[in-house]
Short mmCIF file of all heavy atoms in Angstrom, two decimals:
data_model
loop_
_atom_site.label_atom_id
_atom_site.label_comp_id
_atom_site.label_asym_id
_atom_site.label_seq_id
_atom_site.Cartn_x
_atom_site.Cartn_y
_atom_site.Cartn_z
N LEU B 154 7.42 7.69 21.54
CA LEU B 154 8.66 7.32 22.24
C LEU B 154 8.39 6.51 23.49
O LEU B 154 9.12 5.58 23.82
CB LEU B 154 9.46 8.57 22.60
CG LEU B 154 10.36 9.16 21.53
CD1 LEU B 154 10.96 10.46 22.01
CD2 LEU B 154 11.47 8.20 21.17
N SER B 157 6.06 1.81 24.85
CA SER B 157 6.17 0.57 25.62
C SER B 157 6.83 0.79 26.98
O SER B 157 7.26 -0.17 27.62
CB SER B 157 6.92 -0.48 24.82
OG SER B 157 8.25 -0.07 24.60
N ALA B 158 6.91 2.06 27.40
CA ALA B 158 7.53 2.34 28.70
C ALA B 158 6.59 1.93 29.84
O ALA B 158 5.39 1.85 29.66
CB ALA B 158 7.87 3.82 28.81
N ASP B 159 7.20 1.69 31.00
CA ASP B 159 6.40 1.22 32.13
C ASP B 159 5.51 2.33 32.69
O ASP B 159 4.35 2.11 33.01
CB ASP B 159 7.32 0.70 33.25
CG ASP B 159 8.17 -0.45 32.75
OD1 ASP B 159 7.71 -1.13 31.82
OD2 ASP B 159 9.27 -0.66 33.27
N LEU B 164 6.06 10.41 32.27
CA LEU B 164 7.30 10.48 31.48
C LEU B 164 7.09 11.28 30.21
O LEU B 164 7.93 12.10 29.82
CB LEU B 164 7.75 9.05 31.16
CG LEU B 164 9.06 8.93 30.42
CD1 LEU B 164 10.20 9.35 31.29
CD2 LEU B 164 9.25 7.50 29.95
N ILE B 168 9.33 14.62 29.09
CA ILE B 168 10.23 14.79 27.96
C ILE B 168 9.68 15.76 26.93
O ILE B 168 10.44 16.36 26.18
CB ILE B 168 10.59 13.44 27.28
CG1 ILE B 168 9.37 12.76 26.70
CG2 ILE B 168 11.27 12.52 28.25
CD1 ILE B 168 9.72 11.53 25.91
N PRO B 171 9.50 20.42 27.89
CA PRO B 171 10.59 21.35 27.55
C PRO B 171 10.60 21.73 26.06
O PRO B 171 10.97 22.85 25.71
CB PRO B 171 11.86 20.58 27.92
CG PRO B 171 11.43 19.59 28.91
CD PRO B 171 10.02 19.23 28.58
N LEU B 172 10.15 20.80 25.20
CA LEU B 172 10.16 21.10 23.77
C LEU B 172 9.04 22.08 23.39
O LEU B 172 9.08 22.68 22.33
CB LEU B 172 10.00 19.80 22.96
CG LEU B 172 11.04 18.72 23.21
CD1 LEU B 172 10.77 17.52 22.33
CD2 LEU B 172 12.44 19.23 22.95
N ILE B 174 8.48 24.83 24.94
CA ILE B 174 8.78 26.17 25.45
C ILE B 174 8.81 27.27 24.37
O ILE B 174 8.19 28.32 24.55
CB ILE B 174 10.07 26.13 26.28
CG1 ILE B 174 9.77 25.41 27.60
CG2 ILE B 174 10.63 27.52 26.55
CD1 ILE B 174 10.98 25.06 28.40
N PRO B 175 9.51 27.03 23.22
CA PRO B 175 9.51 28.10 22.21
C PRO B 175 8.10 28.50 21.76
O PRO B 175 7.79 29.69 21.64
CB PRO B 175 10.27 27.48 21.03
CG PRO B 175 11.08 26.40 21.62
CD PRO B 175 10.32 25.88 22.79
N ILE B 178 6.45 30.66 24.37
CA ILE B 178 7.00 32.02 24.39
C ILE B 178 6.39 32.87 23.27
O ILE B 178 5.86 33.97 23.51
CB ILE B 178 8.53 31.98 24.25
CG1 ILE B 178 9.15 31.43 25.52
CG2 ILE B 178 9.08 33.37 23.95
CD1 ILE B 178 10.64 31.24 25.43
N PHE B 179 6.44 32.34 22.04
CA PHE B 179 6.00 33.16 20.91
C PHE B 179 4.49 33.35 20.90
O PHE B 179 3.99 34.43 20.59
CB PHE B 179 6.48 32.55 19.59
CG PHE B 179 7.92 32.81 19.34
CD1 PHE B 179 8.86 31.83 19.55
CD2 PHE B 179 8.34 34.07 18.95
CE1 PHE B 179 10.20 32.09 19.35
CE2 PHE B 179 9.68 34.34 18.74
CZ PHE B 179 10.61 33.34 18.95
N GLN B 196 5.52 37.37 15.35
CA GLN B 196 5.34 36.16 16.16
C GLN B 196 4.59 35.09 15.39
O GLN B 196 4.93 33.91 15.47
CB GLN B 196 4.59 36.49 17.45
CG GLN B 196 5.44 37.18 18.50
CD GLN B 196 5.47 38.68 18.33
OE1 GLN B 196 5.10 39.20 17.29
NE2 GLN B 196 5.90 39.38 19.36
N LYS B 217 10.12 6.41 13.35
CA LYS B 217 11.27 5.71 13.93
C LYS B 217 10.94 5.22 15.34
O LYS B 217 11.23 4.07 15.71
CB LYS B 217 12.45 6.68 13.95
CG LYS B 217 13.70 6.17 14.57
CD LYS B 217 14.52 5.40 13.56
CE LYS B 217 15.57 4.58 14.29
NZ LYS B 217 16.21 3.59 13.45
N LEU B 221 10.81 1.31 16.82
CA LEU B 221 11.70 0.76 17.85
C LEU B 221 10.93 0.26 19.05
O LEU B 221 11.41 -0.61 19.79
CB LEU B 221 12.78 1.78 18.24
CG LEU B 221 12.43 3.04 19.00
CD1 LEU B 221 12.45 2.81 20.49
CD2 LEU B 221 13.46 4.10 18.65
N ASN B 222 9.69 0.78 19.25
CA ASN B 222 8.90 0.28 20.37
C ASN B 222 8.25 -1.06 20.04
O ASN B 222 7.96 -1.84 20.94
CB ASN B 222 7.82 1.28 20.75
CG ASN B 222 8.31 2.26 21.79
OD1 ASN B 222 8.54 1.88 22.92
ND2 ASN B 222 8.52 3.50 21.38
N LEU I 82 21.77 5.97 15.73
CA LEU I 82 20.58 5.86 14.90
C LEU I 82 20.92 5.46 13.46
O LEU I 82 20.25 4.62 12.87
CB LEU I 82 19.82 7.18 14.87
CG LEU I 82 18.95 7.50 16.07
CD1 LEU I 82 18.28 8.84 15.87
CD2 LEU I 82 17.90 6.42 16.25
N GLN I 85 23.36 2.11 13.65
CA GLN I 85 22.90 1.08 14.60
C GLN I 85 24.05 0.53 15.44
O GLN I 85 24.17 -0.68 15.62
CB GLN I 85 22.23 -0.07 13.85
CG GLN I 85 21.12 0.35 12.91
CD GLN I 85 19.85 0.69 13.65
OE1 GLN I 85 19.57 0.15 14.71
NE2 GLN I 85 19.08 1.62 13.12
N ILE I 134 16.51 24.73 31.07
CA ILE I 134 15.82 23.85 30.13
C ILE I 134 16.75 22.73 29.67
O ILE I 134 16.34 21.58 29.50
CB ILE I 134 15.29 24.66 28.93
CG1 ILE I 134 14.25 25.66 29.42
CG2 ILE I 134 14.68 23.76 27.89
CD1 ILE I 134 13.91 26.71 28.41
N GLY I 141 15.29 14.39 31.00
CA GLY I 141 14.33 13.68 30.16
C GLY I 141 14.97 12.49 29.47
O GLY I 141 14.41 11.39 29.44
N ALA I 144 15.56 9.84 32.08
CA ALA I 144 14.31 9.20 32.51
C ALA I 144 13.80 8.25 31.44
O ALA I 144 13.36 7.13 31.72
CB ALA I 144 13.26 10.26 32.81
N LEU I 145 13.88 8.69 30.16
CA LEU I 145 13.37 7.85 29.08
C LEU I 145 14.19 6.59 28.94
O LEU I 145 13.66 5.50 28.74
CB LEU I 145 13.39 8.64 27.77
CG LEU I 145 12.74 7.95 26.57
CD1 LEU I 145 11.28 7.71 26.83
CD2 LEU I 145 12.91 8.76 25.31
N ALA I 148 13.19 3.95 31.47
CA ALA I 148 11.76 3.71 31.70
C ALA I 148 11.26 2.39 31.12
O ALA I 148 10.10 2.05 31.31
CB ALA I 148 10.95 4.86 31.11
N PHE I 149 12.11 1.67 30.41
CA PHE I 149 11.61 0.50 29.71
C PHE I 149 12.08 -0.78 30.38
O PHE I 149 13.19 -0.86 30.91
CB PHE I 149 12.11 0.49 28.26
CG PHE I 149 11.55 1.61 27.43
CD1 PHE I 149 12.14 2.86 27.47
CD2 PHE I 149 10.44 1.43 26.64
CE1 PHE I 149 11.63 3.91 26.72
CE2 PHE I 149 9.92 2.46 25.89
CZ PHE I 149 10.52 3.70 25.93
N ALA I 150 11.19 -1.78 30.35
CA ALA I 150 11.58 -3.09 30.87
C ALA I 150 12.67 -3.67 29.96
O ALA I 150 13.59 -4.32 30.43
CB ALA I 150 10.38 -4.01 30.92
N THR I 154 15.23 -1.09 24.02
CA THR I 154 14.25 -0.10 23.59
C THR I 154 14.55 1.25 24.22
O THR I 154 14.49 2.28 23.56
CB THR I 154 12.83 -0.54 23.98
OG1 THR I 154 12.66 -1.90 23.61
CG2 THR I 154 11.80 0.29 23.29
N LYS I 157 17.44 2.96 22.49
CA LYS I 157 17.08 3.52 21.17
C LYS I 157 16.20 4.74 21.31
O LYS I 157 16.40 5.75 20.62
CB LYS I 157 16.35 2.45 20.34
CG LYS I 157 17.27 1.39 19.80
CD LYS I 157 16.48 0.40 18.98
CE LYS I 157 17.27 -0.85 18.69
NZ LYS I 157 16.42 -1.95 18.24
N ALA I 158 15.22 4.67 22.22
CA ALA I 158 14.31 5.81 22.41
C ALA I 158 15.10 7.02 22.87
O ALA I 158 14.87 8.14 22.40
CB ALA I 158 13.23 5.45 23.43
N VAL I 161 16.76 8.72 19.95
CA VAL I 161 15.84 9.56 19.16
C VAL I 161 15.61 10.89 19.88
O VAL I 161 15.69 11.96 19.27
CB VAL I 161 14.49 8.84 18.93
CG1 VAL I 161 13.51 9.76 18.23
CG2 VAL I 161 14.69 7.58 18.11
N ASN I 169 16.06 21.01 18.59
CA ASN I 169 15.26 21.98 19.31
C ASN I 169 16.08 22.99 20.10
O ASN I 169 15.63 24.09 20.37
CB ASN I 169 14.34 21.23 20.27
CG ASN I 169 12.92 21.70 20.15
OD1 ASN I 169 12.56 22.70 20.73
ND2 ASN I 169 12.15 21.01 19.35
N ILE I 173 15.08 26.76 21.12
CA ILE I 173 14.82 27.13 22.51
C ILE I 173 15.72 28.28 22.91
O ILE I 173 15.29 29.29 23.46
CB ILE I 173 15.05 25.93 23.44
CG1 ILE I 173 14.01 24.85 23.20
CG2 ILE I 173 14.99 26.38 24.90
CD1 ILE I 173 14.22 23.60 24.02
N SER I 176 14.71 31.57 21.18
CA SER I 176 13.41 32.10 21.60
C SER I 176 13.50 32.65 23.01
O SER I 176 12.89 33.67 23.33
CB SER I 176 12.33 31.02 21.49
OG SER I 176 12.68 29.89 22.22
N TRP I 179 15.40 35.98 22.92
CA TRP I 179 14.54 37.04 22.43
C TRP I 179 13.55 37.47 23.49
O TRP I 179 13.13 38.62 23.56
CB TRP I 179 13.81 36.48 21.20
CG TRP I 179 12.91 37.43 20.53
CD1 TRP I 179 13.24 38.38 19.63
CD2 TRP I 179 11.51 37.53 20.74
NE1 TRP I 179 12.13 39.06 19.25
CE2 TRP I 179 11.06 38.55 19.92
CE3 TRP I 179 10.59 36.84 21.52
CZ2 TRP I 179 9.73 38.91 19.86
CZ3 TRP I 179 9.27 37.20 21.47
CH2 TRP I 179 8.85 38.23 20.64
#
Side-chain angles (χ1 to χ4, degrees):
Chain B
L154 276 175
S157 65
D159 300 334
L164 183 68
I168 63 174
L172 303 181
I174 288 169
I178 289 175
F179 283 103
Q196 284 87 344
K217 178 85 196 167
L221 69 88
N222 270 291
Chain I
L82 281 180
Q85 307 283 331
I134 297 166
L145 187 62
F149 294 83
T154 313
K157 285 181 194 164
V161 175
N169 229 277
I173 293 176
S176 56
W179 182 83

